[in-house]
Amino acid sequence: MKRTSMEGVMCPVARSLDVIGDWWSLLIVRDAQSGLRRFGEFQKSLGVAKNILAQRLRHLVEHGILETQPASDGSAWQEYVLTEKGRSLFPILVALGQWGQQHCFEAGEPRTRVLDKAHGQPVKPLEVRAADGRVLTVQDVRLERPPPQG
Amino acid sequence: MKRTSMEGVMCPVARSLDVIGDWWSLLIVRDAQSGLRRFGEFQKSLGVAKNILAQRLRHLVEHGILETQPASDGSAWQEYVLTEKGRSLFPILVALGQWGQQHCFEAGEPRTRVLDKAHGQPVKPLEVRAADGRVLTVQDVRLERPPPQG
DNA sequence: CATAACTGGTTGCATAACGAAACCAGGGCC
DNA sequence: GGCCCTGGTTTCGTTATGCAACCAGTTATG
C-alpha cells in the first residue's frame, strides 16, 4: 500500500501537507509556539499516546521543524524547540485558528483566543494581498503551473 | 480505538483540524478553489482512490464546505461547489502554499505559484497583524484560555 | 433502438497507520 | 541503594487507506 507521498509534486500546498499534514503535527507545533518544550508537557497537553508522540516528534525533527537541545533547567533531559522553519508556521496556525473560530463554534461557546501581547486585543483577520496591497479573494488569483520539464 | 476527535475542545486550531485536518480534504478544497467541480476531475487531478474521494467529498459536504448542485452543463450529473465556508479557507491554503514554497523546494525547482490575476504578480507573504496594524510574530502574542466552565 | 462506453460511485480485500496499555531504561531524589 | 519520575519502546488489537473489481445510471454511437 503506502500512504501516498507528494514529494515529487509541484504544488507547494501538497508539499506542506506531506510534512505537517497529519493530525498531530500541527498541534504539537502549536503547543511548541506557546512555549512547551518537554515530552511530558506535550503528552499532557495533547492527550496523545506516547508512541505516537515520539513518532511525530522524530518526524518533526527530521524535517527541521523542531530540534532537540539539552534541557534549559540543567537536568540531563532534552527539550524540543522550534527552528526558524517551525516558527514560520505561525501564519498557518493563525489562519486555522481564525477559520475554526468563525466556523466551528456555537455563538456563545467559550474558546481560546490569540491576543496581541501589547494591548490584549485579538489579532486582525488575515488578508491575502496583492503586491500593490489590494485585498484578494480566490476569484482574484490564478495558478501558474510551470511548463512540463521535458 | 477511534481516531481522536477534538469536537469538545476549546482550541479553534484543533476544531479546524477535526474538519479539514486529514490528508486529502485540503487538497480537494484547493482544487475546488481553482475551479474543479466534478468527481472525475478531482479524481484525475489528485490521483486518489475513488472510494477515498467519495468518502472525503461526503465528509466535506456534511461539514458544509462543499455542496452538491445539478451540473451546470445541463447533464444529469451533479457537481461539488464550495460554500462560503469553503471559500473562506482561502487564507489557509495561501499560508500553506507560501510556507511550502519557502521550505519544501530546492532552489531552482519548478513549482506552481499563486498569481494576482490583475497584474500577474505573486501575492504578498501573509502577515499576522495586531488591531493597530503592527506586524506580529509568535513572540508578540499570547493565548487567552477561557475560564473553566464550572 | 440496441449497444457500447463513460461517469460516478460501492464493495472486498490486503496492508499500513493509529491508539491504549504494558513494559523498560536511565536520572534524580532521599 | 531503593524508589519514583521522565521519556520513551514494544506489543497487540482496531481503524483507515489504497487498489482493484464490480455495478448502475447516463451519454454517445451505429
Side-chain angles (χ1 to χ4, degrees):
Chain A
M1 186 188 87
K2 207 57 192 295
R3 183 218 201 105
T4 326
S5 164
M6 290 289 163
E7 218 178 302
V9 147
M10 286 185 301
C11 166
V13 175
R15 294 267 184 115
S16 294
L17 292 176
D18 220 21
V19 178
I20 51 164
D22 82 280
W23 227 88
W24 293 109
S25 294
L26 268 178
L27 292 175
I28 293 172
V29 172
R30 180 181 186 287
D31 277 359
Q33 301 233 5
S34 73
L36 303 196
R37 297 163 156 249
R38 299 283 283 261
F39 187 96
E41 290 178 322
F42 291 115
Q43 215 254 312
K44 188 173 160 199
S45 163
L46 297 170
V48 59
K50 296 203 290 178
N51 52 350
I52 305 293
L53 178 57
Q55 194 177 302
R56 288 298 177 275
L57 288 172
R58 210 178 308 133
H59 177 84
L60 290 171
V61 169
E62 274 165 15
H63 282 275
I65 290 167
L66 295 175
E67 60 188 0
T68 54
Q69 64 177 43
S72 51
D73 62 357
S75 75
W77 310 107
Q78 64 177 357
E79 294 181 345
Y80 297 89
V81 298
L82 288 167
T83 60
E84 178 53 37
K85 184 172 176 181
R87 277 190 296 275
S88 65
L89 288 167
F90 183 55
I92 296 179
L93 289 167
V94 171
L96 280 168
Q98 290 183 348
W99 186 85
Q101 204 161 141
Q102 282 201 332
H103 296 286
C104 303
F105 285 82
E106 301 297 323
E109 211 177 345
R111 67 201 72 177
T112 305
R113 294 190 305 167
V114 177
L115 301 183
D116 170 15
K117 236 179 221 172
H119 303 98
Q121 297 296 314
V123 303
K124 273 212 296 200
L126 283 176
E127 292 167 334
V128 179
R129 287 182 182 273
D132 59 15
R134 287 161 22 250
V135 175
L136 301 175
T137 72
V138 67
Q139 286 97 342
D140 302 317
V141 302
R142 63 181 178 85
L143 296 180
E144 178 203 48
R145 295 179 205 283
Q149 69 291 26
Chain B
M1 189 188 85
K2 209 54 193 298
R3 182 218 199 107
T4 327
S5 164
M6 289 290 163
E7 219 176 303
V9 147
M10 285 183 300
C11 165
V13 175
R15 294 266 184 116
S16 295
L17 291 176
D18 221 18
V19 179
I20 51 163
D22 82 280
W23 227 86
W24 293 108
S25 295
L26 268 178
L27 292 175
I28 293 173
V29 173
R30 179 182 187 287
D31 277 358
Q33 301 234 3
S34 71
L36 303 195
R37 296 161 157 250
R38 298 284 282 264
F39 187 95
E41 291 178 321
F42 290 117
Q43 215 253 314
K44 188 174 158 200
S45 163
L46 296 170
V48 61
K50 296 203 290 181
N51 53 349
I52 305 292
L53 177 58
Q55 194 177 302
R56 288 298 178 278
L57 287 172
R58 209 179 307 133
H59 177 84
L60 290 171
V61 169
E62 276 166 13
H63 283 276
I65 290 167
L66 295 175
E67 61 190 0
T68 56
Q69 64 177 40
S72 51
D73 62 357
S75 76
W77 311 107
Q78 65 176 357
E79 294 181 342
Y80 296 90
V81 298
L82 288 167
T83 61
E84 179 52 37
K85 185 171 174 181
R87 278 190 295 276
S88 66
L89 288 166
F90 183 55
I92 296 179
L93 289 168
V94 171
L96 279 168
Q98 291 183 347
W99 187 84
Q101 205 162 139
Q102 281 201 333
H103 296 286
C104 302
F105 283 82
E106 300 298 323
E109 214 176 345
R111 67 201 72 177
T112 305
R113 294 188 306 168
V114 178
L115 301 184
D116 171 14
K117 239 181 220 170
H119 302 99
Q121 296 296 313
V123 304
K124 273 212 296 199
L126 284 175
E127 292 167 332
V128 179
R129 288 181 182 271
D132 59 17
R134 285 161 23 250
V135 175
L136 301 174
T137 71
V138 66
Q139 286 96 344
D140 302 318
V141 303
R142 64 181 176 84
L143 296 179
E144 178 202 48
R145 296 178 204 284
Q149 73 291 29

